Each structure stands twice: as C-alpha cells, then as structure tokens.
Amino acid sequence: MPVDFQQIRNQAVEMGRQAPEQMQRSRTLLQNALEVFESLGERSEEVRERVQNAAAEDKKLRCAFPSSEPILNSYPEPDCSPAEVTLAADGSQINPSRHEAADFGVVNCGALRMATEELPREIVQSKLLYFEDIEGKSEEMIALMRDVGERQLLVELAKEGSGSVVALTDGMLDIYREPRQDAEFNRRFDDYLASLRALAALRTIVAGYVDKPRADLLVRMLELMDGSEKDMLVRARERPLGGVTDAMLLNGRLQPGMRSAVFGIESSSSEQFNGPLRLHFFYLNVGIENIPQLARVEIPAWVAEDQDLVNTLHATLLFQCRMTGSVPYPYILHRAHEIAVVGPAEREQIGAMIDIELRRNGVDPGIRSSKQFMKDLAGKARYE
Amino acid sequence: MTENPQMEGKNIGYIVGGGLRESLRVRLTVDPQEVQEGAFVVVESGGWSFYGLVTDLALGATDPRFADEQSEERLPAELAKLLHGQTLYTTLEMLPALMMETGPEPGSPAYSEWINAHQGGDERVLPVKTIPSHHATARLARSSDIAQIFGAPGEEGNFVVGTTREQDLAVCVNLKKMIQRSAGIFGATGSGKSFLTRIVLAGLIHNDLASTLIFDMHNEYGWDDTASDTNTKVAGLRSKFGARVRIAGLGRDNTVRGQNPDFYLEIGEEDITPEDIELLSRTLNLRETTPTTLEALQQSFGKSWFHEFGQMKVGAVVEDENGKKVPAADSVAYWANQNGVNVAAAEGLRSKLSRVFNLPYVVSGQMENALQTIIADLSAGKHIVFSFGKHESDLDYLLVTNILTRRIRETWEKRVNEFRSNPGKVKEPRQLVVVVEEAHKLLNREMASQTTFSTIAREMRKYYVTLLVIDQRPSQIYDEVMSQLGTRISGWLGDEDDIHAVLSGLAGRDALRGMLAHLQPKEEVLMLGWGVPMPILLRTRRYDEAFWKDMLGKEAEKKSPEDIVKTLGF
Amino acid sequence: MMAGIEIGRALRSSITGCVVGCRVSQLNAPEFGGMVSIPLDDGSKIFGLITDIHIDDDGLVRQLVTAENISSEVIEDNRLNRNVPVEISVLFIGFELEGSYSHLLPPRPPLSLLAIYPCGDREIGQFTGTGRLGYLRHILRAVDLPVAEILAAHLRQAGAIQKKNGNGDWVEAATRELITLLRDDYATLNTVLGSLADTHLYLQGGNND
C-alpha cells in the first residue's frame, strides 16, 4: 500500500520549515572545518602523531591521516598516458529465498578488459549455489563470496600480458564485515586478501572507486586537531563538525581533473589490511568547470607510495570518466556492472531450468510459498 | 462470314445494376474501344438469355481523383495499366429487348423433357419482363443468337439485310412479316436510303412474296444508274430481274434514261376528281374557295367537269347588244354567274389549274387500258416501276400517284371483299406493296386526310395492300400515319424531330435516340419496329455484284437478259 | 524444413502478431518486410512479415553520445559485446497445418520464447502461391504501420521467388488484388502504388531484382 501522504505531508512541511536554520548551521560548520583544514598546511607530522595516539586509545576510531604528500596539496591531471590495460570487475548475486520452490543462489561476477586498439573483452563467471552451498549461509556470506570472486577474476585477467595495468572495482576496498567465529567466513576473507596481494605481486594498480562519497574521514581528522590533544577523544565522540563531509570540504578546492593529496585510513581494519595492503585514499574531481563532481579513490599502500602508479591511476580514471560525457563515471566500471548484474528475470529462468532438471530425475521441486506467489502476481507486460 | 472470329461470343463484362425501366448497366472487362454503341449483347442468367443493344458507354472511377491524376505518368506503364477495370472502369448501358428460356444443358436428361415441353421456336422468345442477376456475364452475340432471334439466313422468308457491326454476323428480316404492315425506310439525304431500298425491293421481288408498285420519282430503280459519288454502275431492278419487272412511263414519248418503258400511262380527264385537285392546294396555291367551286363544277357537269372547266376561258368577253363587255358564253365568269359561284374565285381557280390542264399526259376520256394493264400485271405477280421520266415536279408526283393508287386500292378492296364472301371460289388476292418516295409530300398532316396513302397506311393491310415509305423528313409525316408503320429501317438522321418521329409509337426508346445520330452514313442503319424482334444496328449489305451473285446465283452474271427471261419461264 | 538460423525468440504476442527479441550481428540481420515462420509445439507453423525492427538505446548509450569523442574501442564494445536490444515486430499473415496453408489468422498465438526463423524460398513460394492472396488484407488492416513499404518489400521478395518458380504473373495478380482491396481508399492506394513503383518490379519484361 502506498504511504499516507497526508501524514507525510505534514512532516514535509515541518522539514521545510526547519531547513533554513539547518542550512545556516551547515554553512557555519563548513566554515569552521575549512579554517581548521587550512591551518594544517605544514603540520603533517603533528597530525600523524595525534591520530596515532588517538587510535591507540580508541580502537573504533576511523579517520584519515596524512601521507608523505602535504595535506593541502592538490595535483592537476598528470602528463602521463592512461594505463595500457584497464580492468574492471563487478559482481551480482541472487540470494536463496526460502519462499522459492527449489532453493538456490547465484553469484555472478563480470569483468571487462579494455586495451588500446583492441576490442574490449567481456568475461563472466556464474556460479550456482545449491544444497550445501546455501545451507545456513547468510546473505552477507554470499556477498563476501561475490567480492572474492570479483578480485579473483581481476587476478586472472591481470596475469595476461605486460605493461601497466589498472584494476578497478566499485566501492571501497575495505569490505568491512563483522568478525565471525565462522571458519568459512574467515577463510573466504583470507582469500580476498590473498587476491589483493596477488595483484600487488603483479604490480597491478588496484583501486576502489567510490562515486558520490559521503565519507568524513578528513573531517574526523580535523576534529582531532581542532583543539588540544587532551580533549581530542571527547571531540571525536561529540563530533563538533558532524554533518560536514570530506567532499563538502574539498568541493571548492579541487579544480576539474585535480586530485587531493593521498591520505591513509586509520581504522580497525588495518589489522587485516596491513603492510602493503594498508588502505589509503585520495579525492578526484571528475567533473567540469563549475560543476564539481568528487569521487573517492581507495588504494593500497604499495600504490599510494609510488608516484608513477598514482599518476597512471589518475590519468586512467579521468580518461574513463570522460567517456560517459555529461555524467562522468568510469565507463569500464559501468560495463562491468552491466555484465555482472542479474535480476528477477534471471531468477525466474534459472528457477525454471532447475525445475526441469529435478523433474527429469524424478524429483518434485515443491511449490512456491504463498507469500512469494502473491508477490509475483504484480503485472506482466502485454503485447501491444 | 465472320471477320473477327475471336470476337464472336466474347465476354465483355458483367451486370452491375440497372433495371427494366432504365437500361441495364454492365461493367466492362475489356477495353472500351472493343465495344461500340449498337452492339448486340447477350446476358445469360438464371436459365434465361437476355438480348439487348448497347446504348451508352460511360467512364467511371471509384474516386474522381483516380480519374484526374495521370497515373500513366506517375507510375510505370505496367502498374498504371492495372488500375483500368478496377479504380477506373467503363460502364455500358444495355437496352434489354427480348428474353428467352435457355433451359437445362443440352444432352442432360432434363433437356429432352424440357425441349418437348417448349416446342415452337418463336413463342420461346418473349419481350423482356425480368432482369438478369448481379454479375451475370454479358457477351457479344454469336451467330446462333442472331439466328435464334432474327432467323437463320437460309430459312424461308428470311432475307439478309445486313450484318452486325462487331462480328459481321448476318441479320435477316422476315419479309413476309414485314409487308403485313406498312413499313418505312428513312435517313437523311446521302445516307444511303436508295441503296437500302433497292436491297429490300430486290429481296421482295426475288422471294416473290408480294407484287410491288414502285413510284420511282427520280428514275432510280428501274434501269441501271450511276452512283453520284463513286461513278460506278448501279444495277437496276429491270436488268436483274428481267421481265418480272415492268417499267411504266408517264405520258407518251417519255423515255427513261434513254430507254423506252414497257408501256405508258396517260391520265384521263374523267379520272380526275375534285379531291385530286384539292390535294394540290398547296402546290398550286389554291384558295379556300376552291372546294366550293369544284363542287359547283361537278354539279354542273358531272363526270366531265374537268374537261368542261378546261374548255372555259378566263376573261373572255363579248360585246352585248349595248356594246358593253360581258362574259362570253365559254368564259369562266359566265358559268360562275350562272351557277352562283364567285367569279373571282372561279377565275382564279381556272388560272391556277392551267398547269394541270396543260399536262401532256392528261388526255381526254379515261386511262382504262393502261390502268388495267397495271392491275393485271400486279395481280399476276409482276412488279411495276412507275417512272415519271421528265415529269418530275411535285405536281406530277402528287397528282399521278394519288389517282393511280386510288384506283388500285378500289380494285383491291373489291377483290378482297369478293374473296371473303366466297373463299372457295375466288382466288386470294395478291399482296401488294406500294413503294412511295418523298412520302412526306403525300403524307404530311395537311394531306393526311386527303390522300389515298394515309388510307392505305391506316386501313389497307386488311385489304392486302401496304405501303413502303421512303423519306428523309419523317418528322413531316403525319404522326398518326407514322405510328401505323411497322418495320422502320433508318440510316443517319441529324434532325432531332426526325429522330423522334422514327421512334414514335415504339415504347420507351429514348435510349435509341443517340444511336440514330451516330450512324455511319451509307454504312449503318438501325432496324426496329413491328416485324423486327428487337431493335438492331446493322451494317447494310453492299448493293453490288456480290449481292446479286448471292441473290441470283452465279448464272445471273453471265446470262443475258434474254436467257434470264427464259429461265424464269416467260 | 528448418530454414536457416534462428532470428530470435518471441517476447510477447497476440493473435495478430508478436514482438521478437534478438541478438543481432550484422550478417544475420533480418530484413524489413521479410517473411518469417514460428514453428509451434503442435507441429503447425505461423507465418508473418517483419513490420518493424526497433533498436532501443539504453542509459549508457545515451550517456556515451554526450561525450566529446567516442573511441573506437568503446564503439566496438557497444556493437559487438553489449546486447543490442533489438526488437522485431512481426505481423501474422497465416499459418500452415499438416501441409496445407491458410491465409486466416492462426488459431493460437505463439507462447513466449518460441524461436523465429526466416522463411526459405520454398515456404514463401508455397504460402504466397496458394489461395487467393487473401493474406494481404491482414497487412492492409494494420494500424500505424508503413503498409506501403511493407507491401513493396514483400512483393519484391515473393515476386522474385514466384518468378523463379515460373509464375511470372504473380506480381501482377498481387497488385490487382491490392487495387481491388483498396479501390475505395484513394489515399492509401496512392501511397501503395507509389512505393510499388519504386520497387522496379514493373519494368519492361518485369525485371525483379
């Protein structure tokens, strides 16, 4: 049933009424944040130390810390060419549904390989999960299987050929999950890390692309610095600059095609993502004059520490984003998503296929649950 | 005989509408140029055959834009051609005249049963009373259709007058039936009337169905003639039929085309009646007082009134005792005074009648001998061509034809009455056809009551005498007379009134009016009326050597007139 | 009987026609106006004509055209790798059951996912050669279709085959039938004749290309 629009409307009116005040408040906060940020120009070492100290005391702390690049620096589009080979992988899943007749799941990973003067190549890996595969498995587990699948696909592709290779995935590299006692879960997570290491060994420039970033890693860093070290943890809790995002901070500071300085991520996941895998990031304006569009790019340490690799990544990302014209987004990521994505139509077809096979072997697939049946009654297309 | 064998019986379209009152409408499935106005068309439907004439052709289109647009220019020729017959079509109007039951398939068991029930040829053919169904096929006639309706050429009494225009199929007229009523041959000057007349007369003479008395006003029919336009010899009836045809001349010493007639006729003074004179009113410009004067003359002198009147002199005066000028005893005035007749009227009449008195062929007494010869010849089955020779004026024509015919009519009437009273003892009188040219001079409204001819036209078929009128101004013939005419054969007519006249007395023939104006002069005629089962457009036979060969056989060419006479048993 | 490679599969259908979804590569592209057949499970076969070939854009393609340049790799990627969502509209013109051809509409529409094939010469020859060209009325009845162009394409295809089979007057017979069916509809007949004229079917000696 649709919402009660009358109820909603009243609340929307209230929201509108509060908006100007809220707007004013945001502006003030942003102004404060900018002041703090701009005061940190030469103080990278100081900031690093303070963050370290804070993290030692608060395990849950999650914020940025400066790398060797000065905090306030921004870097224009580099002269170097994009990578010779660009890879992107994405995955999609069909979760088992206890409402369906014959329960199954699917993990579908897709990748696209683009290289200059070559026809881009699509790769798909589709895995059907059934019986033991799905027994007791949560959706999260299947998501992890998917993430692993994506990176493993990239590893395979990265192994071909030589020359500079950029491997992209959508979203953060840090696939944060609740730690489990589950052995299988841990095993799979280790697989994930292993694939990242494999890519490192191949010198593949690995990056995670976050479109429309809402992170406030930099802002939290600013909060620690906005006052004495003594009170920094209090501030971290109370969030004086809460509501301000990194993107807001940097919107006016990055011209089209420019990136911010590289920063490291201080978080609990650094236990697993350690050494060369230690996670870093930078912001990149992929937009055009007067229309800034910031993306956050996550990279492992070995990439962050190599200027050439960062430059190649920078050039490649801009090259890819320009392909999609008015709404910049890496073309290759979009394609990878397209290749991987599965939906209800696929679910139905695969379900039908399984039905036939079960029947062929004398097994009755069972009936759909009533709940699912009712949901499925919604309209079908009519031939016109 | 058929020039276009593929045309015979060819399907030309199908019925799409129309009815009994209007004509039937046929959608043409062939090019319009393949069918002409006047074509004889047959439609078979529901066990009946319908026979009719094409009276109109019209173009049509399912949408006027198809007609307006020159699709031949916009589209390839092959494609544009396909529109004809579909979006662009021709509709034909067919005047249905007759219908006949066709019965079941010949050879099928039902057929012999049906044929026995329907014996008797003519009764099977009926005037049209119903109509064919939609989409019944219309086709051009076959020779069998023509033979069914008009008679087969070989059969007795059937005389071929011409052929159908499309397929050259022979069309006959039943002469015996035709002469049972008065008939007419019409057409504008130069439309070939005299040739047609020669053909019909030849047919009558050859078939020996009646005796003919031909008033040959322009000396065309007796001896050989020369065609004015082609300068070819035109055979005369005498040269072809020999002694069966007798040439009579008017007046002594009257040669016809350099030849002497077989005998000559003179009019006796005592043969002329006052009625004969009254007939000449217009010609002689007589006044209204004429009848009175004539009656007085007859009273005075009886049978010899004409002679006596002729002796009188106009303006003869003598001096009387007193030296006054008084009318002489032999003057008109004298007689007029004596008999209470207006002098001026009498004198005027006498002057005007001088022409008549001076006619060289008017002699004293009576014309008995010549007249009896004529009557005897006609009774014996011979034919008289009465040539006027040099006496070609209207006066001659009117006077002589009327007097002669009146006497002949009287004789025939008497004989028929005798025959009817004593059928066993008295021989049946011979059928007589009186052939009159320039009929409008004798049969116009003014004269209609006065001449013998109108009497013959109205009554005399009972008495075995009918007319064959030849005329180019049928509108001037008294319509009561026209309506008595049975068969009419007409060549091209230009005048609306003439066309109307030819069609008068025949029910609902508006459709044929256009046809008369479109006939090809000298080539085509329309034949219709009583004696003709249905109107039909014909290409007339040519009056040439081939015609005579056909009529008389090959011998006619080679033999001399003497030999012919011998053959005919004279 | 299988005539050639499958063009695609039925997506949705009704009693008068269906829409076929397919993957297209340049070589197999079915032709507008071409005749196709859909074998049904009961052994019968539905015949139809292709009345529309519809290539949709999608979100990505629309974005790509806004970019300043489109590299050749991206173009190739889109042509050869991505599923071009081609939909083919098919108008039913008759069916075949147990060897006999009918120009009536099929008793039942095809179910989803039935395969569609281009018709072979023999099928086209037999279907268009039997009966009285009654199937033409289905084409004329269709609304919102380029009827004139469909007829032109069909007459070319079928005409060439009939001519090869020795029936040189098939084109004329079909044209006559069309004129009969359209003789009260000046506008449509005019358009149809115009497009037929463009086919060069009516040149001297009736050359069909």
Side-chain angles (χ1 to χ4, degrees), chain B residues 339-370:
Chain B
N339 288 281
V341 176
N342 183 289
V343 173
E347 284 186 336
L349 183 59
R350 176 62 186 78
S351 312
K352 287 183 179 165
L353 288 182
S354 331
R355 273 184 70 190
V356 184
F357 292 119
N358 293 334
L359 291 173
Y361 52 84
V362 177
V363 299
S364 56
Q366 293 177 313
M367 60 174 174
E368 277 315 308
N369 280 339

Side-chain angles (χ1 to χ4, degrees), chain B residues 62 65 69 74 79 86, chain C residues 175-176 180 183 186 189-190:
Chain B
T62 54
R65 288 174 287 183
E69 224 176 62
R74 276 189 61 231
L79 190 50
Q86 295 237 50
Chain C
T175 313
R176 270 192 213 284
T180 305
R183 69 178 164 200
Y186 176 79
L189 180 55
N190 220 12

Side-chain angles (χ1 to χ4, degrees), chain A residues 161-175:
Chain A
S162 53
S164 55
V165 178
V166 164
L168 297 174
T169 48
D170 184 69
M172 304 191 298
L173 290 179
D174 181 359
I175 49 170

Side-chain angles (χ1 to χ4, degrees), chain A residues 53-70:
Chain A
N53 294 343
E57 290 202 36
D58 182 357
K59 294 281 183 273
K60 294 219 187 71
L61 180 69
R62 190 177 152 76
C63 69
F65 62 83
S67 69
S68 55
E69 290 184 352

Side-chain angles (χ1 to χ4, degrees), chain A residues 119-122 124 335 338-339, chain C residues 5-11 19-30 53-55 76-88 113 116 118:
Chain A
L119 172 65
R121 181 160 31 109
E122 294 182 338
V124 183
R335 290 283 288 118
E338 224 181 44
I339 293 164
Chain C
I5 311 164
E6 163 193 316
I7 292 176
R9 303 235 157 207
L11 296 176
V19 174
V20 174
C22 50
R23 256 196 97 106
V24 141
S25 73
Q26 296 292 81
L27 300 170
N28 282 351
I53 302 176
H54 188 81
I55 300 169
E76 290 297 295
D77 186 35
N78 276 278
R79 283 239 186 96
L80 300 174
N81 285 333
R82 297 187 71 226
N83 280 333
V84 185
V86 178
E87 283 192 355
I88 294 179
L113 295 181
I116 283 89

